[in-house]
Each structure stands twice: as structure tokens, then as C-alpha cells.
Amino acid sequence: MDSKRTEIKDLGEFGLIERLTKSFVNKQKSTHKGIGDDAAVIDSGEKFQVVTSDLLTEGIHFDLTYMPLIHLGYKSIVVNVSDVAAMNAKPTQVIVSIGISNRFSVEAVEEIYSGIAAACDQYNVDLVGGDTTSSASGLIISVTALGEVDKKQIAYRDGAKENDVVCVTGDLGAAYTGLQVLNREKAEFLSNPDMQPKLNNYEYIVQRQLKPDARTDIMFELKELNLVPTAMIDISDGLASELFHICKSSKVGVNIFEDKLPLDRRTQEAAVEFNIDPVTCMLNGGEDYELLFTIAQDDFKKIENHADIHFIGYITDESKGLNLVTKQENVVPLQAQGWEHF
Ligand code: ADP
Ligand code: MG
């Protein structure tokens, strides 16, 4: 008998998804777009409905030694709302499923739900269902989010065209440096439990890790400007990894300029302190939950003076590949090394 065993790590997360799902063929006429974007797209008649799901597991996505339960609840909604916004869609409902053990009191689970409630208010979405079960292996939270968008305004990953302008919102790398601070404080705490965490100078980056926000504000602003991105994705795994997704789906290349990447001073200072290249934090850090999108050249004037949208590069022909133009004007191939869970 052929009993070949393949290790998951040999395929990686994306290779595994591809292998598991490649033989599925959509049967429903209403399935407009299935696997392969930030959310699936359902043709509901007048509009498109989008639906997306993210699973957060203890020890992999969060560490309860420093993640307050209220923030965990909030973040579980944010990561899903962010995927809805990445389709240029307005989030409408969420479904929340949790796996808990008797290690948690009712009050502790209520803490999670107060964070969920705060996020539902912040993003104007309704909690409309879920499931509750016990878990023998730590806390598990799975959230499914729904949203809606006018058919003409939907943004996929695959629409980027040569010469399009590449834009990113906010600043990058902060959540990753925030995580470094939290890990350092945790290690110190474990060796000396009397110690008080020293987070004073790191509020911004720690908050970017513990309480990120989804950029629905930008999605609404783009609508007001009558600007539909040619491609869009949210930054969960790091800028480089998301650029790879857009370029692979759109069959294009990209040039990104190092000196255009949006870096907050506080992120830079922390990166230097941890001996990490700030550019690596921005390219490969992840969990920024900013939006990365491409727009036609003609649309650039609509956002050129926007304080929170940054031009970072432009789309090239596929044969050129993905490149970073350094401050010294060297052109180096981009490396995608997003989060590896396996
Ligand atoms: P994101 O980072 O935006 O949440 P993912 O990288 O998790 O997206 O997923 C990529 C695509 O693969 C999405 O379309 C997602 O719905 C799909 N996908 C992920 N895991 C599975 C799975 N176990 N079965 C079917 N589809 C999946
Ligand atoms: Mg996404």
C-alpha cells in the first residue's frame, strides 16, 4: 500500500489550502467568486454579498499572558471586518463561535463578549449567531463576517494593471514591533513574577498589536471620492506577502520604493532597539490590518493629498517580478515570508 506521508510544513498554509480545495467546483449560480480572495462573493441580486471567516487559536494567534480578553474579543471582529473592507464592501453582520474550557469563568467569557460588543458598535455590525462548545486545547474563536457592496464597486485581488499606482493606508510594522515588546516583557515576567511590565514608552506599538482597527473609514472615503481600486487586500501577513497575492492573482509585477514605505517614528525606534531592520518589520511584520490597493493613474489625483493614504510604488509587467527599490536605488527582489503557523 502506498502510505506516503506529506508534512504540512512542506506545503505551507497556502499550499495546503490549494491542495485541499483544488478539486471543488462551484455548483450554485449565485457563487460569483469562491476561494482565493479576502472574502467569497455571493450574487444576491441587486448587490454582492461578501462572506469571510477567520479562526483564532490560543498559543498561535494570541497569548493570554498579555492579551486582555476584552481586546481578544475586539480583535476577533476586527480581523474579519478588515477582510470585508478589503473587498471594498460594507460590513453588516458577524457570527461568533467559541471553544472554551472550564479554565474560564463566565465572567471571563463575558469579557471577551464586551470586546466583541465594542467592535460591533465601532463597525456598525450585528452579531446574529454563532456556536458555543468546550475545548480541551485552549481557547478558540471563529468569526464569520458578512458584508455588502454595489456590484460596480467590488475590489478583488486580481484587477491590478501595469502602471497602476500602489497605495497603502496608515503605517506599517507597528504591530510586529509591539509584539516584540510584549514577548520581551513576558520573558522578564516569567523569570521575575514580581516585576511590573514596562510598557510606558511603547503604548502606540503595543496598542497596534493588542487593539488593531480595520480601515472601513478608508473604504467609505473611497466611495465618496468615487474611486474603485483596481485591486485590494488587507495586510494581515505583511506587505510583501500581500503584494505577492495581488501580483500572482493579477499576473503582474511591482516596484515598491523603500523610502515611500510609511514608518511611524515609534516603530522605527523600537525596531532599532530590538536590532531588527525597520524595513523588514514593514515588509514582513504582519497584523497591521491596513489596506493595500492599486488604482489607475487617472485616479491618483483624487487621493494624492490624503494624509493617511501613501503612494508606495507602481505595477509593472509580470516578467519584471516583485522588487524593492532601496534608498540607494538598488533593485532587489522582494521576499515574502508572512506568518508561518506550521
Ligand atoms: P485571509 O488571510 O485574507 O484571511 P486566507 O489566506 O486565510 O485569507 O485564505 C485564502 C483563501 O482560502 C480564502 O478564500 C479562504 O476563504 C480560503 N480558505 C482558507 N482555508 C480554507 C479551508 N480550510 N477550506 C476552504 N477554503 C479555505
Ligand atoms: Mg485578507
Side-chain angles (χ1 to χ4, degrees):
M1 197 182 89
D2 183 11
S3 60
K4 183 171 175 295
R5 178 189 158 97
T6 310
E7 298 303 329
I8 293 175
K9 67 171 169 37
D10 294 338
L11 290 182
E13 181 184 344
F14 302 127
L16 178 65
I17 296 171
E18 159 99 30
R19 174 151 156 184
L20 296 176
T21 61
K22 63 174 184 249
S23 57
F24 284 77
V25 181
N26 296 330
K27 295 173 281 294
Q28 296 289 338
K29 241 173 73 188
S30 54
T31 307
H32 189 74
K33 168 103 197 186
I35 293 160
D37 218 298
D38 290 289
V41 180
I42 315 295
D43 190 339
S44 59
E46 197 201 335
K47 290 189 173 214
F48 281 141
Q49 297 282 327
V50 303
V51 56
T52 178
S53 188
D54 261 306
L55 177 66
L56 303 181
T57 56
E58 185 177 352
I60 302 289
H61 299 95
F62 58 89
D63 183 333
L64 290 177
T65 26
Y66 48 68
M67 185 68 161
L69 291 170
I70 185 167
H71 288 348
L72 177 62
Y74 191 91
K75 188 169 176 176
S76 71
I77 301 299
V78 165
V79 300
N80 282 277
V81 163
S82 179
D83 276 322
V84 170
M87 304 304 291
N88 211 22
K90 179 182 82 164
T92 50
Q93 288 89 14
V94 288
I95 293 169
V96 176
S97 300
I98 52 170
I100 42 178
S101 69
N102 58 11
R103 179 159 64 93
F104 295 91
S105 65
V106 172
E107 288 75 19
V109 185
E110 279 179 326
E111 275 290 299
I112 301 175
Y113 269 73
S114 63
I116 290 174
C120 286
D121 284 346
Q122 172 70 25
Y123 298 104
N124 199 25
V125 299
D126 296 329
L127 172 67
V128 294
D131 197 18
T132 306
T133 183
S134 56
S135 161
S137 58
L139 180 62
I140 299 171
I141 304 184
S142 168
V143 177
T144 298
L146 294 107
E148 61 178 37
V149 55
D150 285 343
K151 287 183 174 175
K152 283 201 282 294
Q153 290 179 336
I154 188 128
Y156 298 105
R157 294 175 179 182
D158 68 3
K161 301 269 181 311
E162 193 173 351
N163 297 324
D164 279 358
V165 179
V166 181
C167 302
V168 71
T169 62
D171 58 81
L172 300 176
Y176 180 74
T177 50
L179 183 63
Q180 305 312 307
V181 171
L182 289 166
N183 278 331
R184 179 178 67 187
E185 295 308 310
K186 181 186 173 184
E188 279 188 31
F189 176 79
L190 290 176
S191 62
N192 174 14
D194 294 332
M195 157 220 126
Q196 287 296 311
K198 296 183 287 292
L199 299 175
N200 283 344
N201 296 321
Y202 305 105
E203 275 126 354
Y204 176 67
I205 57 174
V206 165
Q207 175 234 314
R208 292 278 282 165
Q209 169 61 224
L210 294 182
K211 191 177 172 290
D213 267 304
R215 300 311 302 263
T216 49
D217 57 332
I218 297 288
M219 180 269 301
F220 286 120
E221 276 187 60
L222 292 177
K223 283 194 180 42
E224 272 164 34
L225 292 166
N226 209 4
L227 200 176
V228 181
T230 52
M232 185 147 68
I233 190 168
D234 71 321
I235 303 184
S236 49
D237 294 343
L239 177 66
S241 172
E242 316 305 353
L243 284 168
F244 267 86
H245 286 309
I246 285 189
C247 288
K248 189 174 178 223
S249 300
S250 301
K251 300 189 172 61
V252 293
V254 71
N255 273 355
I256 295 298
F257 299 99
E258 182 183 340
D259 64 352
K260 301 280 188 204
L261 296 178
L263 178 66
D264 189 277
R265 176 186 50 79
R266 293 160 287 192
T267 306
Q268 174 164 28
E269 285 168 7
V272 169
E273 192 183 328
F274 282 93
N275 248 321
I276 326 170
D277 182 357
V279 178
T280 306
C281 294
M282 289 189 285
L283 288 175
N284 300 314
E287 295 206 283
D288 297 308
Y289 299 104
E290 297 293 342
L291 290 173
L292 170 68
F293 56 94
T294 57
I295 59 174
Q297 294 260 350
D298 287 350
D299 281 330
F300 184 54
K301 56 185 176 302
K302 294 183 187 169
I303 51 140
E304 149 177 64
N305 296 317
H306 195 292
D308 216 20
I309 300 178
H310 313 284
F311 152 75
I312 59 166
Y314 58 87
I315 296 293
T316 60
D317 185 81
E318 190 176 19
S319 63
K320 302 268 168 45
L322 288 77
N323 300 294
L324 178 72
V325 183
T326 67
K327 285 178 184 150
Q328 296 78 32
E329 299 200 349
N330 295 321
V331 180
V332 295
L334 269 181
Q335 310 287 336
Q337 39 169 121
W339 286 105
E340 291 291 343
H341 300 313
F342 297 108

